[in-house]
Amino acid sequence: MKLRGRVAVVDDDAMFRESLGLNLGESGFEVMEFNGGRPFLDWLGAGNGVDAILLDWRMPGMDGLAVLRSLRERGVRVPVIFLTALSDDIYEEAALRFGAVDFIEKSRSLAIILQRLRLITDGAKPNATGTAAPGAGPTLKRGKLELKTDIARAFYDSKPVDLTVTEFNIVCALAAAIDADVSYRQIYDLARGADFVAGQGEEGYRVNVRSFIKRIRQKFRTVYPEFNGIANYPGFGYRWVDPE
């Protein structure tokens, strides 16, 4: 089996680590397990490395957010995905603000976790239907927008835009949909996985999608204050708009 990459699982729950580690191993990943943030940081400090980090939030001594902040302060830019039982938006927003690429509830299926890891280690970025954008190649360009799908990096007006993996996938879906709108449900499926049931009734996912789009717009406006490239189709979804 082809080795997909080396992944660190940092979690104080031994049974969860063992179960996840076995499943990841069977899917082609080399797994390094740690029962806390401090042992993991010490291991990294000894010169070791991984391609991705699966990090729990609630751990004794040093919680996941403290681990993430320590990583970034050390200049370690390895992609971090939070796997946690915490589901409130405040935790997700804090994780993303400090540089995590994704935030997944532990109750989600293994398939969702594997999907996120493969996006990181394989560089395959889906469009709104969950498949690679046809003809996009490693670089997708729309006006001032440039998306390097092999490394999940976005640029606008030649300036880098610091997007998470999920945010990058959403922008890819919008940019790949030429003269078409991408629905709220399609965008939400990119973030949470197909057919995930959100709260607040059948249309509850729309609130989450609006939050994603708001955060994406803010990041683009950080590098280009006049950015107005994501338009809303009320009641349906969003589309990418090239500057005139």
Side-chain angles (χ1 to χ4, degrees):
M1 180 185 296
K2 178 184 176 182
L3 180 64
R4 289 187 174 275
R6 186 184 235 196
V7 179
V9 177
V10 186
D11 195 303
D12 62 316
D13 186 332
M15 292 184 64
F16 179 79
R17 286 199 318 272
E18 180 180 6
S19 175
L20 181 59
L22 288 172
N23 283 302
L24 293 179
E26 291 176 354
S27 300
F29 291 96
E30 180 184 2
V31 181
M32 312 300 295
E33 297 182 25
F34 301 89
N35 64 2
R38 184 58 60 192
F40 172 59
L41 292 174
D42 291 343
W43 182 81
L44 280 182
N48 301 294
V50 289
D51 299 302
I53 302 167
L54 299 179
L55 181 62
D56 187 23
W57 187 293
R58 283 181 172 169
M59 295 183 291
M62 189 178 197
D63 67 22
L65 190 61
V67 174
L68 176 59
R69 294 178 66 175
S70 180
L71 289 171
R72 297 313 184 228
E73 289 169 359
R74 298 181 184 197
V76 177
R77 300 300 173 189
V78 176
V80 172
I81 297 175
F82 270 96
L83 292 181
T84 176
L86 302 172
S87 59
D88 291 347
D89 289 346
I90 186 173
Y91 295 106
E92 181 174 3
E93 291 171 3
L96 297 178
R97 184 169 66 251
F98 282 102
V101 300
D102 222 327
F103 189 95
I104 306 174
E105 293 181 41
K106 282 185 175 180
S107 60
R108 301 304 304 278
S109 68
L110 174 66
I112 297 299
I113 298 173
L114 286 173
Q115 179 192 49
R116 301 298 199 273
L117 282 176
R118 287 166 181 162
L119 289 175
I120 292 171
T121 58
D122 294 351
K125 303 297 175 280
N127 63 17
T129 63
T131 58
T139 302
L140 175 60
K141 293 184 178 181
R142 287 282 306 268
K144 295 179 180 293
L145 176 70
E146 182 177 1
L147 301 171
K148 296 185 180 294
T149 60
D150 54 341
I151 57 174
R153 294 296 306 278
F155 298 84
Y156 198 82
D157 197 31
S158 300
K159 302 180 183 68
V161 184
D162 187 19
L163 301 177
T164 68
V165 171
T166 296
E167 292 165 351
F168 183 89
N169 291 339
I170 292 172
V171 173
C172 276
L174 295 170
I178 307 298
D179 296 327
D181 297 283
V182 182
S183 72
Y184 283 97
R185 183 72 245 187
Q186 289 173 313
I187 294 173
Y188 192 75
D189 285 350
L190 285 175
R192 299 302 190 205
D195 302 322
F196 181 70
V197 179
Q200 303 179 26
E202 293 182 358
E203 300 298 306
Y205 56 83
R206 295 191 180 204
V207 175
N208 299 77
V209 170
R210 292 188 190 103
S211 295
F212 277 116
I213 296 298
K214 179 180 179 180
R215 191 157 56 227
I216 290 170
R217 282 171 169 161
Q218 289 174 338
K219 289 186 175 183
F220 274 94
R221 286 169 182 160
T222 297
V223 302
Y224 193 84
E226 297 81 17
F227 175 78
N228 195 28
I230 301 177
N232 178 230
Y233 184 160
F236 181 80
Y238 295 86
R239 73 161 53 193
W240 188 268
V241 179
D242 295 320
E244 297 181 359

